């Protein structure tokens, strides 16, 4: 039976006991309202580690005052069932006061990979993410931690952070999980009404279109982005925040699509901001065709 704890002390004691038995620990940080995307990360951790910790914490520090902190969906009971059914061992569900005690004033900030994409439209976001994730790493001290590729910039940022700060954890990136019709799974999909849910398919359709163009040999990033933006523009409910091509390692803007280019987008459907992406992978063959 899974254990749900709310204090840092309880997590530390449990992890210490596991360590004393020589067990390895995997970690999946989340903000809860778990779906099959999170479940795939938990399943991977359960397969690769002796014990798995899942954190469920809606981190106030990564939301701007204008964003959806208050309305962000929460359901600890359903999260607990999903974690239990997937084989996780411990849920860490702290109150904000447990994570940010009176007088809290230390932050993990990053330049470089946070400057583009979501960092442009959400300027305080990655400072909040880096701060909470580094705190969680110090609390849980996992061997491996699992992050979804849907938040590809976050994955690159966390990889950079653990390298720069010598945090001894292996970061494992896991594929995007999609609904049957293509929409990338996200806790924020719950904000969409019926009409918006249909309109939201423009993101995955445009991702597939972009992948086909790259497979067909398109290497000019500007041309690719123009075509993708044009396609999004056909959906009246969609408003583009960004469509960009960057190097997946350091999130620097690129003019040329090559292996390891991240093509990422953020698009508002009504008031809901959704993200999606693909990473160009695999060596180009003799015809210049690559897989995505
Ligand atoms: O990806 C998320 O859900 C959050 O950004 C994370 C990594 C749990 C930090 O709050």
């Amino acid at each position: 039976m899974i254990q749900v704890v709310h204090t840092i002390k309880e997590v530390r004691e449990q992890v210490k006991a596991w360590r004393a038995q020589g067990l390895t620990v995997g970690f999946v940080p989340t903000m809860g309202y778990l779906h099959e995307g999170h479940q795939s990360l938990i399943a991977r951790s359960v397969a690769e580690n002796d014990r798995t910790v899942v954190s469920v914490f809606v981190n106030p520090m990564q939301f701007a005052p204008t964003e959806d902190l208050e309305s962000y969906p929460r359901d600890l009971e359903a999260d607990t069932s999903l974690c239990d059914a997937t084989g996780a061992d411990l849920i860490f569900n702290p109150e904000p006061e447990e994570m940010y005690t009176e007088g809290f004033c230390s932050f993990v900030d990053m330049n470089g990979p946070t400057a583009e994409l979501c960092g442009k439209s959400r300027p305080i976001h990655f400072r909040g993410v880096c701060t909470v994730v580094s705190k969680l790493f110090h609390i849980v001290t996992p061997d491996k931690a699992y992050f979804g590729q849907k938040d590809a910039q976050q994955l690159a940022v966390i990889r950079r952070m653990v390298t720069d700060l010598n945090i001894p954890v292996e970061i494992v990136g896991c594929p995007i999980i999609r609904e049957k019709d293509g929409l990338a799974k996200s806790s924020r999909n719950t904000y969409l009404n019926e009409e918006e849910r249909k309109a939201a398919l423009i993101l995955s359709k445009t991702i597939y279109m972009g992948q086909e163009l790259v497979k067909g040999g398109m290497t000019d990033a500007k041309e690719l982005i123009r075509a993708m933006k044009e396609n999004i523009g056909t959906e009246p409910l969609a408003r583009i925040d960004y469509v960009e091509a960057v190097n997946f390692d350091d999130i620097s803007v690129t003019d040329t699509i090559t292996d390891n280019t991240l093509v990422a987008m953020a698009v508002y459907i009504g008031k809901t901001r959704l993200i999606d992406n693909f990473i160009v992978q695999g060596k180009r063959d003799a015809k210049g065709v690559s897989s995505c």
Side-chain angles (χ1 to χ4, degrees):
M1 185 66 188
I2 192 159
Q3 233 185 306
V4 182
V5 300
H6 305 281
T7 66
I8 293 166
K9 186 168 175 277
E10 287 167 297
V11 179
R12 285 198 198 284
E13 277 172 9
Q14 181 57 83
V15 172
K16 196 174 166 195
W18 288 335
R19 292 285 182 213
Q21 297 169 56
L23 302 175
T24 58
V25 178
F27 177 45
V28 183
T30 81
M31 297 207 300
Y33 213 70
L34 305 179
H35 49 67
E36 287 93 331
H38 299 109
Q39 194 168 22
S40 72
L41 308 181
I42 298 167
R44 176 99 179 253
S45 174
V46 169
E48 295 183 354
N49 302 276
D50 298 319
R51 295 290 182 267
T52 290
V53 179
V54 179
S55 62
V56 173
F57 178 58
V58 183
N59 174 35
M61 199 187 282
Q62 68 191 70
F63 290 78
T66 50
E67 293 181 342
D68 56 343
L69 173 62
E70 293 311 321
S71 56
Y72 197 86
R74 293 157 168 90
D75 189 344
L76 185 61
E77 213 177 294
D79 291 346
T80 305
S81 305
L82 182 143
C83 288
D84 200 13
T86 315
D89 301 278
L90 184 74
I91 293 180
F92 176 42
N93 172 233
E95 289 298 322
E97 299 72 36
E98 177 73 4
M99 293 298 280
Y100 302 116
T101 47
E102 180 85 29
F104 186 92
C105 57
S106 305
F107 302 90
V108 179
D109 215 343
M110 188 185 290
N111 301 323
T114 63
E116 300 295 332
L117 310 182
C118 292
K120 268 192 176 154
S121 39
R122 306 184 71 191
I124 64 140
H125 177 68
F126 286 112
R127 175 167 127 139
V129 170
C130 288
T131 301
V132 80
V133 172
S134 74
K135 280 172 67 67
L136 289 165
F137 283 168
H138 287 111
I139 295 163
V140 179
T141 63
D143 297 285
K144 295 184 180 187
Y146 297 79
F147 290 84
Q149 189 204 296
K150 187 172 83 65
D151 296 295
Q153 185 176 17
Q154 171 171 278
L155 175 56
V157 163
I158 299 296
R159 283 199 168 123
R160 185 74 247 173
M161 181 184 79
V162 301
T163 301
D164 288 356
L165 302 184
N166 308 97
I167 304 179
V169 54
E170 184 187 329
I171 303 302
V172 183
C174 302
I176 297 177
I177 306 294
R178 296 180 180 280
E179 302 284 356
K180 277 203 183 71
D181 61 7
L183 182 66
K185 300 252 183 194
S186 164
S187 307
R188 290 190 167 99
N189 291 348
T190 175
Y191 297 152
L192 303 168
N193 65 29
E194 206 178 319
E195 195 190 2
E196 291 169 340
R197 174 64 183 76
K198 279 188 201 136
L201 287 181
I202 197 65
L203 279 93
S204 51
K205 282 183 184 157
T206 305
I207 288 294
Y208 298 145
M209 189 197 93
Q211 285 179 319
E212 286 309 312
L213 289 173
V214 174
K215 278 184 192 158
M218 189 180 277
T219 55
D220 183 334
K222 283 202 178 80
E223 206 183 325
L224 177 69
I225 289 163
R226 197 179 315 118
M228 290 175 71
K229 281 185 169 173
E230 213 173 278
N231 198 54
I232 298 168
T234 61
E235 172 48 63
L237 292 186
R239 181 168 59 83
I240 296 172
D241 180 1
Y242 66 75
V243 182
E244 291 280 2
V246 298
N247 180 304
F248 182 40
D249 290 327
D250 61 6
I251 315 291
S252 59
V253 174
T254 178
D255 291 336
T256 312
I257 307 294
T258 59
D259 284 352
N260 212 35
T261 296
L262 163 67
V263 181
M265 61 168 73
V267 176
Y268 285 92
I269 302 292
K271 286 193 175 139
T272 306
R273 184 175 176 280
L274 299 175
I275 55 174
D276 205 341
N277 69 73
F278 67 97
I279 296 166
V280 180
Q281 285 164 338
K283 300 236 180 305
R284 278 158 197 282
D285 66 18
K287 294 184 211 119
V289 176
S290 70
S291 62
C292 302

